[in-house]
């Protein structure tokens, strides 16, 4: 970036840099490799620190760190969506492959968490809302120097079983599942406090869980 005079970057980070702390997660809470519970989160925390140090050492450098919560969904046209090769690592693509009968059933990792139905709770955000957050972040660092961190989430959490139920309702498709042991590194529940993004970026999520499931189902059915 230095070589070609590129002094602005928007970095895709993750809410998992917070580790296990009081929810909702706020940007003022400590975050870093000493708090993370899995290697993915640790890698993101290290890159955040590199960017923050760069912004201190180079006053022309500007960065926006967006801490994503859980992006899902597809464009409402059904033309752009998520269809990973092999076995998906994330919940919604896995639900989709089970619903389309490409996979037999969904494994729900743990049903004994201290949540309303025992399954893990996450803050899911529509991918189109996420894309719009990037545009707002780019505009922000055009005006503001330094390094800026914002949570990009809805502020609401949904459990794995609530996600399954919502997808079945919106798609009319069945999603068989089984309960499996917990995965190491998973935490029970997290969701965003998105106040800072609304205040500073002028951004907030506009789409709900129904939109996320409906648009995912449309993409899958149009692209069998």
């Amino acid at each position: 970036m230095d070589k070609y005079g590129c002094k602005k970057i928007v970095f895709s980070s993750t809410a998992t840099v917070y580790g296990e702390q009081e929810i909702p997660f706020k940007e003022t809470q400590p975050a870093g490799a000493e708090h993370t519970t899995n290697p993915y989160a640790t890698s993101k925390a290290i890159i955040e620190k590199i960017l923050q140090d760069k912004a201190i050492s180079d006053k022309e450098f500007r960065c926006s760190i967006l801490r994503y919560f859980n992006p899902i969904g597809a464009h409402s046209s059904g033309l752009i969506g998520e269809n990973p090769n092999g076995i998906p690592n994330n919940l919604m693509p896995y639900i989709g492959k089970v619903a389309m009968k490409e996979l037999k059933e969904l494994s729900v990792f743990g049903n004994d968490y201290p949540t309303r139905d025992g399954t893990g709770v996450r803050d899911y955000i529509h991918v189109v809302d996420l894309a719009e957050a990037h545009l707002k972040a780019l505009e922000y660092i055009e005006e503001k120097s330094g390094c800026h961190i914002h949570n990009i989430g809805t502020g609401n959490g949904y459990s794995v079983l609530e996600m399954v139920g919502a997808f079945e309702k919106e798609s009319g498709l069945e999603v068989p599942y089984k309960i499996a042991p917990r995965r190491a590194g998973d935490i029970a529940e997290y969701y965003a406090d998105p106040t800072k993004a609304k205040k500073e970026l002028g951004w907030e999520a506009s789409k709900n869980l129904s939109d996320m499931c409906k648009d995912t189902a449309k993409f899958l059915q149009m692209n069998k």
Side-chain angles (χ1 to χ4, degrees), residues 19-132:
E20 295 190 69
Q21 297 192 62
E22 182 182 351
I23 49 177
F25 290 157
K26 299 179 175 68
E27 294 89 346
T28 51
Q29 288 174 305
E34 66 273 23
H35 299 282
T36 55
T37 62
N38 60 66
Y40 171 75
T42 303
S43 71
K44 292 290 192 180
I46 290 168
I47 296 169
E48 282 196 10
K49 185 68 169 68
I50 291 169
L51 292 172
Q52 289 168 320
D53 287 349
K54 172 66 175 173
I56 292 169
S57 65
D58 181 351
K59 298 306 179 187
E60 294 181 7
F61 186 77
R62 301 174 178 208
C63 71
S64 168
I65 293 172
L66 300 182
R67 289 178 177 162
Y68 297 2
F69 280 67
N70 292 73
I72 60 172
H75 193 268
S76 59
S77 66
L79 298 175
I80 306 172
E82 185 177 13
N83 185 20
N85 293 325
I87 306 298
N89 291 318
N90 296 322
L91 178 61
M92 185 57 90
Y94 209 113
I95 287 175
K97 285 189 180 289
V98 172
M100 300 303 289
K101 303 190 184 306
E102 294 178 38
L103 294 171
K104 179 184 175 183
E105 61 188 359
L106 171 71
S107 292
V108 177
F109 296 109
N111 66 344
D112 57 350
Y113 286 104
T115 61
R116 49 189 171 267
D117 62 17
T119 64
V121 169
R122 301 290 182 265
D123 186 338
Y124 295 92
I125 178 171
H126 198 294
V127 68
V128 172
D129 280 333
L130 183 69
E132 290 175 353

Side-chain angles (χ1 to χ4, degrees), residues 24 69 123-124 152-157 191-194 205:
F69 280 67
D123 186 338
Y124 295 92
I152 304 300
T154 65
N156 299 307
Y191 49 89
D193 178 346

